[in-house]
């Protein structure tokens, strides 16, 4: 009779180390994000941030609307040799 399949010890240790590295990376990223963003923002800072984000998004939409798809007509008809 065949017994239960038990993975090798080195395979299990490798998987453990990979998972540990992922967890440590997640912790490092969350720690960096907490250090970048201040925890206590004033009401004025939150309003200014919202207004700034809105202006940036409007500007990006305008830039996308008015950028030419082809930079110049000469480039469109050039042949490759």
């Amino acid at each position: 009779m065949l017994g239960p399949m038990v993975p090798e010890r080195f395979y299990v240790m490798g998987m453990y180390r990979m998972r540990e590295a992922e967890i440590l990376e997640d912790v490092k990223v969350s720690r960096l994000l907490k250090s970048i963003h201040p925890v206590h923002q004033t009401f004025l800072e939150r309003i200014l941030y919202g207004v700034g984000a809105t202006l940036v998004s409007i500007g990006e939409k305008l830039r996308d609307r008015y950028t030419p798809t082809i930079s110049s007509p000469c480039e469109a008809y050039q042949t490759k040799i």
Side-chain angles (χ1 to χ4, degrees):
M1 193 80 146
L2 294 175
M5 296 292 294
V6 179
E8 292 185 26
R9 180 178 60 154
F10 295 111
Y11 176 76
V12 173
M13 288 300 292
M15 293 299 291
Y16 173 77
R17 287 189 179 127
M18 286 175 48
R19 181 66 183 138
E20 184 182 29
E22 290 174 359
I23 290 171
L24 289 175
E25 184 67 27
D26 289 344
V27 168
K28 186 171 93 172
V29 167
S30 65
R31 188 179 300 144
L32 285 173
L33 288 175
K34 284 181 183 178
S35 69
I36 290 172
H37 298 294
V39 176
H40 302 289
Q41 290 182 342
T42 64
F43 180 71
L44 179 63
E45 289 174 336
R46 285 183 282 175
I47 289 178
L48 290 175
Y49 176 79
V51 169
T54 305
L55 289 174
V56 168
S57 68
I58 290 171
E60 288 176 348
K61 288 177 185 176
L62 283 173
R63 183 179 58 199
D64 291 341
R65 183 186 301 171
Y66 293 109
T67 54
T69 55
I70 301 174
S71 59
S72 70
C74 296
E75 292 178 7
Y77 295 106
Q78 289 180 351
T79 59
K80 295 182 181 179
I81 298 174

